[in-house]
């Protein structure tokens, strides 16, 4: 399955934030755990709204969570 041109640091940020579970992040962002799994695996690019919700859940900027792959 093809990925997206967007990398993310969701897994690393979950660890830094007390080993937050995928389920806890999903609840906080109003999505399913499957959505978080797909995002972490790079199979899904978030909407702008979801990107902001995830960043807010970690209390960081959007670019601390998501990065555009140069040359993609």
């Amino acid at each position: 399955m093809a990925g997206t041109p967007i990398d993310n640091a969701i897994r690393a940020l979950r660890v830094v934030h007390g080993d937050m579970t995928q389920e806890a992040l999903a609840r906080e962002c109003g999505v399913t755990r499957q959505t978080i799994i797909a995002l972490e695996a790079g199979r899904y690019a978030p909407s702008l709204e979801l990107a902001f919700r995830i960043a807010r859940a970690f209390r960081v900027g959007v670019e601390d969570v998501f990065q555009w792959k140069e040359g993609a």
Side-chain angles (χ1 to χ4, degrees):
M1 181 177 285
T4 70
I6 300 173
D7 283 331
N8 71 75
I10 295 172
R11 172 73 179 124
L13 286 164
R14 287 194 307 103
V15 170
V16 168
H17 284 80
D19 282 326
M20 177 188 279
T21 65
Q22 292 170 330
E23 182 65 35
L25 178 58
R27 268 195 314 272
E28 190 162 339
C29 295
V31 297
T32 65
R33 179 173 169 262
Q34 288 74 23
T35 297
I36 300 301
I37 290 168
L39 286 168
E40 281 189 12
R43 294 190 310 262
Y44 172 71
S47 66
L48 184 57
E49 178 182 354
L50 180 53
F52 275 101
R53 286 181 185 196
I54 292 169
R56 180 156 296 171
F58 292 127
R59 294 174 185 83
V60 298
V62 172
E63 288 190 346
D64 294 319
V65 183
F66 299 100
Q67 303 80 39
W68 183 261
K69 293 181 199 174
E70 291 299 321

